């Protein structure tokens, strides 16, 4: 990280040439700037029902267009707010136990 920060700072500083101080070339500096983003896998459920393998809740609703709809609660779904099963990968990577909220159409 220090190396990256040093590179960024150096890119924006003026430099001296034989003819005097040279203004920084911001566009060139930006093209040389390296940004490192590291996403760390982290549990999002530190305490709720940790004795369960996966926390899934369901609610019966009388008026629904589909018999079952799963809503994401892990924030990893590619189809958010709907669950796409990404919680399984998240749980495996972090040891977490999050799962979707299931809305089930209530039988009449
Ligand atoms: Fe997030 Fe299923 S993808 S709960």
């Amino acid at each position: 990280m220090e190396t990256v920060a040093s590179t960024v700072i150096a890119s924006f500083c003026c430099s001296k040439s034989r003819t005097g101080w040279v203004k920084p070339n911001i566009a060139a500096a930006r093209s040389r700037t390296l940004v490192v983003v590291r996403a760390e896998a982290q549990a999002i459920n530190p305490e709720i029902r940790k004795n369960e393998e996966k926390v899934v809740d369901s609610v019966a609703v009388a008026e629904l267009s589909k018999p079952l709809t799963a809503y994401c609660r892990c924030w990893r779904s590619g189809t958010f707010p709907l669950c796409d099963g990404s919680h399984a990968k998240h749980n495996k990577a972090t040891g977490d136990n999050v799962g979707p909220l299931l809305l089930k159409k209530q039988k009449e």
Side-chain angles (χ1 to χ4, degrees), residues 17-28:
S17 70
R18 276 182 276 147
T19 58
W21 288 98
V22 178
K23 289 182 180 178
N25 182 340
I26 302 298

Side-chain angles (χ1 to χ4, degrees), residues 71-77 83-87 99-100:
Y71 285 91
C72 176
R73 295 192 298 187
C74 75
W75 298 93
R76 302 296 186 271
S77 176
C83 171
D84 68 355
S86 296
H87 58 266

Side-chain angles (χ1 to χ4, degrees), residues 40-48 50 72-77 80 86-87 90-91 93-99:
E40 293 184 19
Q42 197 171 38
I44 60 171
N45 176 23
E47 61 189 48
I48 298 171
K50 294 303 276 187
C72 176
R73 295 192 298 187
C74 75
W75 298 93
R76 302 296 186 271
S77 176
F80 196 87
S86 296
H87 58 266
H90 165 78
N91 288 344
T94 63
D96 215 342
N97 66 342
V98 292

